[in-house]
Amino acid sequence: KDFCAIPRGLFSAVRVQDIGVAYWLKKNFSQLSIDLICESMPLNLVGLKKLEQSLGVRRLILSHQLSLDTIETYVKELNCEVELLLAGRILLFSSPRKLIEPAFGQSSVEIKEVKAVSLENQRPFPVIESVHGTFMFNSYDLYRLDQLDELSNLGIHVGKVDNRFIDTAIFENILKLMNHYSVEEAKLLKKSWPTRCLPGFKKSNKT
């Protein structure tokens, strides 16, 4: 009901991760474009093409775990736009349930962040809880801003910078980089990043 009350003129597309919700949107709001988030879905090219065709998606947001060769193949075979995360937190796990609130009993706080520590290597993993559920992220961020030329040559249509957890000063430097881009400046920005970063998988992902 809340979604139905939102004026359609306020947005041109809906970003959705749940495939069931995507089919509901297509059935009930066929005039809306769908951007399907496939970052955490174990889908091969056959599965992606089936979703593209059955949902008529405008854009597919692919996983950062795909190798460059795989991305290039997918871009050539898909007819819709392709988006990749360029910088930001890496989602490891999500649940629609509130998993932090029972432990801390702070139901009045809308968004909470704690650190879950791995017993194996003592790395702290950020965990966020909001009205949408619980989300656990990698302790390292993804950073591919120094790979823009390479990704552009592969045919990537859209790159996303997830600025929800990025310091304002860092985000302003990202905007400056985008206005006057150079690989050298992108590498300098990476050195000032507040957390350690992963570059994505240029070759096959063996993890």
Side-chain angles (χ1 to χ4, degrees), residues 15 26 64-65 84 92 107 116 123 125 132 134 140-145 157 162-163 166 170 177 181 183 186 196 206:
R15 294 175 71 89
K26 178 177 174 57
H64 74 280
Q65 299 187 51
L84 279 182
L92 297 178
S107 58
R123 282 168 52 193
F125 294 88
H132 303 292
T134 306
Y140 298 162
D141 284 357
L142 184 73
Y143 188 92
R144 303 185 95 161
L145 293 174
H157 302 87
D162 187 352
N163 67 332
I166 296 176
I170 294 290
L177 176 67
Y181 181 77
V183 175
R196 293 184 64 179
K206 299 181 187 265

Side-chain angles (χ1 to χ4, degrees), residues 2-203:
D2 292 339
F3 179 80
C4 295
I6 301 174
R8 299 294 167 266
L10 294 180
F11 50 91
S12 59
V14 178
R15 294 175 71 89
V16 58
Q17 181 167 304
D18 188 291
I19 295 177
V21 173
Y23 277 107
W24 177 82
L25 286 170
K26 178 177 174 57
K27 178 181 178 181
N28 295 282
F29 301 94
S30 57
Q31 75 279 12
L32 286 178
S33 297
I34 296 174
D35 294 350
L36 187 62
I37 303 171
C38 303
E39 290 175 309
S40 58
M41 298 181 190
L43 296 173
N44 55 22
L45 181 58
V46 174
L48 290 172
K49 292 183 76 170
K50 186 172 182 179
L51 287 174
E52 177 192 32
Q53 294 166 4
S54 60
L55 290 169
V57 297
R58 180 186 74 161
R59 181 184 304 163
L60 288 173
I61 296 90
L62 300 184
S63 169
H64 74 280
Q65 299 187 51
L66 298 176
S67 68
L68 295 184
D69 288 344
T70 301
I71 292 171
E72 184 176 24
T73 299
Y74 284 14
V75 170
K76 289 179 179 178
E77 293 291 332
L78 294 168
N79 295 312
C80 63
E81 295 180 0
V82 170
E83 177 183 316
L84 279 182
L85 176 65
L86 296 180
R89 284 187 174 177
I90 301 170
L91 181 65
L92 297 178
F93 163 83
S94 65
S95 170
R97 296 182 297 157
K98 292 189 175 183
L99 303 178
I100 299 176
E101 185 176 300
F104 293 90
Q106 296 179 334
S107 58
S108 61
V109 181
E110 183 175 348
I111 298 179
K112 297 178 281 292
E113 178 169 351
V114 299
K115 300 288 185 180
V117 180
S118 167
L119 295 178
E120 181 178 349
N121 55 28
Q122 297 297 304
R123 282 168 52 193
F125 294 88
V127 181
I128 293 287
E129 182 182 286
S130 71
V131 293
H132 303 292
T134 306
F135 305 86
M136 179 177 181
F137 299 90
N138 198 316
S139 57
Y140 298 162
D141 284 357
L142 184 73
Y143 188 92
R144 303 185 95 161
L145 293 174
D146 53 350
Q147 303 172 30
L148 292 191
D149 291 339
E150 195 169 9
L151 293 173
S152 178
N153 290 335
L154 294 181
I156 298 298
H157 302 87
V158 179
K160 180 182 74 173
V161 173
D162 187 352
N163 67 332
R164 293 174 297 170
F165 311 104
I166 296 176
D167 181 84
T168 301
I170 294 290
F171 188 64
E172 288 176 352
N173 288 333
I174 294 174
L175 294 178
K176 292 177 182 177
L177 176 67
M178 293 299 99
N179 289 328
H180 304 283
Y181 181 77
S182 73
V183 175
E184 292 74 19
E185 289 297 323
K187 290 180 178 179
L188 286 175
L189 177 58
K190 184 177 182 179
K191 291 181 179 180
S192 66
W193 206 259
T195 64
R196 293 184 64 179
C197 297
L198 297 175
F201 297 92
K202 289 198 171 187
K203 298 183 179 179

